[in-house]
Amino acid sequence: MQKSFSTQPELFVTASDLDNQILSSLDDTEALLDWSKIESLLTSIYSANTGRPSYPLLTLFRSLLLGIWYKLSDVQLAQSLYRDLLFRKFCHLELTSSVPEASTLGRFRNQLVKLELWDSLLAEINNQLESKNIIMTEGRINIIDATPIEAAQSGSGNDKKGRPKKDPEAGWHVKNDSRGRQKSTYGYSVHTGVDEDGFIHSQSVTPGNVHDSQELDTLILGDEEKLYSDAAYSSKNTREKLDELGIEDQVQRKGYRNHPLTEEDKIRNAEIAVTRAGGERPFATYKHHYGLARTRFMGLAKNATFYGLAAMAANIRKGANFLKLYGLPEREIAG
């Protein structure tokens, strides 16, 4: 059984509290989406009609978003839900009610993993942002890129409980830096496709040893006018595919032994780099704002879902900032 999210009593705060700037700091996020549509995608979780009522699915989903926005572990998040009025307000938890424990949050995330829901949840969020003209689809471009994420579990042997210290599903990502020095990272690669405003529309997670170009088909939308990327994606197959789809090729060229870049290629690469740099926005958000430069979980599926939640969190906050700065387009207000 599930407790209701939409029919919760009027929380926990007084009328004067409602005017508090801190307690209102997530109101733009609350107003951004039709959350009931997100809730409908979650209904397959804890769908039994008997047993002890679970927390509302949106309470748990919003809790996970808070954990990402505020760089909290599940234990820290559960503690914050006990004592933080802003968190309680956003998750519709009254002062007199219990709050989800860390184990409850973990089980809920595991259900997202098991049911492979993150992709459809991101699509729903993006569809709503598109319908509000916050994400623009007409004439849009696609900037694809990838970044290595270090596995937190990379040691040798087993721990005291006999579990492997090294994540068996991760892999070595090897890349030369700007000075030509080789850098190796054991972990995963996060591959994203973003528009010119930095909204994430496609994403995948692979072991670190999977080459960036292998995720090209996953990241292409098919309706973009131009595709931007660095030279890691440059190949005859890429050029043929883009030509077949009618997508303008803005992939940087790379030189080969005995076939160095021409001056024309160098100029072209420099021009592309200005726009292509926008593809690194989500990685800066993940690593520096959300503290996700290292994984928190073992296994590909769990990390794909967790970084999928990070993509949702990033798009929601970016959309909320848009709403705060510009309001809804006139056709939405008129409706």
Side-chain angles (χ1 to χ4, degrees):
M1 294 179 63
Q2 299 168 16
K3 294 179 181 177
S4 171
F5 184 83
S6 59
T7 59
Q8 294 257 2
E10 274 293 334
L11 298 180
F12 35 42
V13 292
T14 65
S16 60
D17 287 330
L18 292 174
D19 295 328
N20 185 287
Q21 186 175 3
I22 294 176
L23 287 181
S24 301
S25 61
L26 289 175
D27 286 0
D28 52 358
T29 305
E30 178 82 42
L32 178 68
L33 301 171
D34 180 351
W35 293 90
S36 65
K37 292 183 178 180
I38 296 172
E39 186 176 32
S40 68
L41 293 174
L42 299 171
T43 52
S44 56
I45 300 177
Y46 308 138
S47 57
N49 292 320
T50 59
R52 184 178 179 182
S54 68
Y55 288 97
L57 295 170
L58 279 180
T59 292
L60 298 173
F61 180 71
R62 289 189 182 195
S63 295
L64 295 187
L65 292 177
L66 289 170
I68 291 173
W69 288 328
Y70 292 92
K71 298 194 288 189
L72 301 173
S73 68
D74 287 350
V75 172
Q76 292 169 326
L77 176 57
Q79 292 171 345
S80 296
L81 288 169
Y82 270 109
R83 61 178 179 246
D84 193 306
L85 280 177
L86 173 65
F87 281 29
R88 281 182 173 267
K89 179 183 177 184
F90 185 66
C91 293
H92 290 205
L93 289 165
E94 303 92 332
L95 277 178
T96 56
S97 71
S98 62
V99 302
E101 296 180 354
S103 58
T104 302
L105 297 168
R107 285 194 298 271
F108 175 73
R109 187 189 299 104
N110 287 339
Q111 288 296 311
L112 297 181
V113 176
K114 179 181 178 181
L115 298 173
E116 299 180 340
L117 289 177
W118 78 263
D119 201 15
S120 57
L121 288 166
L122 178 62
E124 172 57 34
I125 290 166
N126 287 352
N127 286 339
Q128 292 197 39
L129 297 181
E130 289 172 10
S131 71
K132 293 176 168 63
N133 284 339
I134 293 174
I135 290 180
M136 304 299 294
T137 58
E138 185 175 351
R140 69 174 160 191
I141 66 172
N142 186 0
I143 311 170
I144 64 175
D145 205 350
T147 191
I149 301 292
E150 181 182 359
Q153 303 86 357
S154 57
S156 59
N158 298 328
D159 62 19
K160 294 180 180 180
K161 295 184 179 181
R163 298 172 299 193
K165 294 181 180 179
K166 189 173 185 177
D167 189 336
E169 296 184 28
W172 284 104
H173 180 279
V174 181
K175 186 175 183 180
N176 291 331
D177 64 18
S178 58
R179 298 183 180 181
R181 297 174 301 189
Q182 193 174 82
K183 182 179 180 181
S184 300
T185 304
Y186 186 79
Y188 293 89
S189 289
V190 176
H191 310 256
T192 61
V194 305
D195 64 17
E196 54 265 54
D197 295 314
F199 285 101
I200 303 162
H201 50 65
S202 55
Q203 182 170 283
S204 65
V205 177
T206 67
N209 58 328
V210 173
H211 193 271
D212 297 355
S213 61
Q214 293 187 37
E215 291 301 292
L216 178 69
D217 289 347
T218 303
L219 301 178
I220 286 181
L221 298 172
D223 65 352
E224 60 267 68
E225 287 195 355
K226 303 177 183 180
L227 184 132
Y228 287 80
S229 74
D230 63 26
Y233 301 85
S234 179
S235 70
K236 180 182 178 181
N237 288 338
T238 297
R239 291 188 284 276
E240 290 177 347
K241 185 171 190 63
L242 294 180
D243 183 62
E244 178 185 342
L245 294 172
I247 300 171
E248 184 176 325
D249 177 6
Q250 292 293 312
V251 178
Q252 292 179 313
R253 299 290 184 256
K254 59 183 176 183
Y256 298 90
R257 182 178 296 179
N258 300 322
H259 294 281
L261 289 173
T262 65
E263 287 303 314
E264 183 180 355
D265 286 335
K266 292 178 182 179
I267 293 172
R268 179 178 181 276
N269 283 356
E271 292 173 347
I272 290 173
V274 176
T275 302
R276 190 202 66 77
E280 298 178 359
R281 291 181 187 176
F283 308 142
T285 298
Y286 291 173
K287 294 182 179 182
H288 302 302
H289 296 290
Y290 297 163
L292 302 181
R294 302 180 73 193
T295 64
R296 295 186 184 177
F297 305 100
M298 295 270 278
L300 180 60
K302 286 186 177 181
N303 282 304
T305 292
F306 188 68
Y307 283 89
L309 285 165
M312 295 177 230
N315 281 6
I316 290 171
R317 287 308 301 155
K318 187 179 287 291
N321 288 334
F322 183 101
L323 185 67
K324 183 164 55 178
L325 289 172
Y326 307 111
L328 290 176
E330 290 185 3
R331 67 186 182 94
E332 288 291 326
I333 296 174

